[in-house]
Amino acid sequence: MSRFLVLLKGVHGDECGASLVEYTVLITILITGVILTILAVGGWVSSEWASVNNGLTSAN
């Protein structure tokens, strides 16, 4: 039991785990933002190309 308490005290004082969690949350937020931006820009580009295609089709 005392070995467990020593291990627990060692883990409690170590801040590497907290940093890892913070970086993981930060990377998750950034990746989510990038994916949402790509989806938004992709939808805008798709609608613009459809508009150009319709304009060219009606010109013929």
Side-chain angles (χ1 to χ4, degrees):
M1 182 71 178
S2 65
R3 291 180 66 192
F4 177 72
L5 292 176
V6 170
L7 178 65
L8 187 60
K9 287 180 184 178
V11 171
H12 179 68
D14 188 18
E15 295 187 11
C16 291
S19 296
L20 179 65
V21 171
E22 290 172 0
Y23 283 124
T24 303
V25 169
L26 180 63
I27 289 173
T28 303
I29 291 170
L30 289 173
I31 289 174
T32 302
V34 168
I35 290 172
L36 291 175
T37 302
I38 289 171
L39 290 174
V41 170
W44 176 76
V45 169
S46 177
S47 67
E48 291 296 315
W49 276 109
S51 175
V52 169
N53 187 30
N54 288 338
L56 291 173
T57 302
S58 65
N60 284 335

